[in-house]
Amino acid sequence: MINSQSIIDIIDKFSGFIGRSVAWLTLLMAILAFLVVLLRYAFNFGSIALQESVIYTQALVFLLSAAYILKQDDHIRVDVLYRNFTPRTRAWINSIGTIIFLFPICGFIFLVSLGYAGLSWQIRETSPEPNGLPAIYILKALIPLFAFTLFLQGLAECLRNAMILFEKTVEDV
């Protein structure tokens, strides 16, 4: 039988692999942005496809790294009170926040984006700009994937917090 720690490890490895892989796209994004500026101002040459590639690369990074950021605990949090709480209190806050906020948001985004991405795939949507990038439908398909991977990592975080909340201490025995 698979235990909670095994599930956490599998999800963490999955999120870690995607997050580390996507991190390299930030370098690509910086290079592309540099090229856009260089070509525009040094050579008076503009490319819609190149400009869109910067935006789409940023979208890829955001959508695919969200679960990794949650795993690393690098997401935005107001730490004024949180940093002084005990690990058990933090586990309660994290669990309640994940169940009340993260899971419903992920579910909503997933359900709403399925139709949005599905329609884009049906019509093989391309950029509305002349000479823009083709295959926008691939980018839009990442929206439900974003919600799914974030939900999975939220599940791992809930399981991790449950282990903190329900672990037996010396005083409990």
Side-chain angles (χ1 to χ4, degrees):
M1 188 173 134
I2 248 176
N3 63 19
S4 295
Q5 188 60 52
S6 297
I7 294 169
I8 293 168
D9 292 342
I10 290 166
I11 295 171
D12 280 351
K13 285 179 185 172
F14 178 69
S15 295
F17 172 75
I18 292 175
R20 286 185 303 278
S21 300
V22 168
W24 288 100
L25 289 176
T26 57
L27 177 61
L28 175 64
M29 185 173 49
I31 292 168
L32 290 171
F34 173 76
L35 280 174
V36 167
V37 173
L38 179 70
L39 291 173
R40 166 71 68 198
Y41 294 105
F43 300 103
N44 200 27
F45 173 80
S47 168
I48 299 291
L50 194 57
Q51 289 175 1
E52 284 184 348
S53 67
V54 174
I55 296 167
Y56 296 161
T57 305
Q58 183 180 14
L60 282 166
V61 169
F62 175 82
L63 292 170
L64 294 178
S65 67
Y68 178 73
I69 290 167
L70 179 61
K71 174 193 171 296
Q72 296 298 106
D73 201 28
D74 286 340
H75 54 286
I76 296 172
R77 175 185 291 126
V78 180
D79 276 345
V80 175
L81 300 174
Y82 184 87
R83 66 177 167 224
N84 296 323
F85 292 151
T86 66
R88 281 182 61 82
T89 303
R90 288 181 188 181
W92 275 113
I93 291 170
N94 292 338
S95 295
I96 291 168
T98 299
I99 292 166
I100 291 176
F101 297 113
L102 183 65
F103 286 162
I105 292 291
C106 288
F108 177 76
I109 291 171
F110 183 80
L111 291 174
V112 169
S113 67
L114 279 178
Y116 179 68
L119 179 60
S120 185
W121 271 87
Q122 276 181 335
I123 64 172
R124 299 286 193 249
E125 186 176 7
T126 62
S127 173
E129 300 297 327
N131 300 321
L133 291 178
I136 291 180
Y137 53 92
I138 295 172
L139 182 66
K140 288 186 177 182
L142 295 178
I143 300 171
L145 181 62
F146 151 78
F148 179 72
T149 57
L150 193 56
F151 178 88
L152 275 181
Q153 191 59 47
L155 178 64
E157 297 307 314
C158 271
L159 290 172
R160 192 179 338 272
N161 288 316
M163 291 173 65
I164 293 169
L165 292 171
F166 299 112
E167 73 180 344
K168 293 195 185 271
T169 61
V170 176
E171 296 85 32
D172 294 338
V173 177

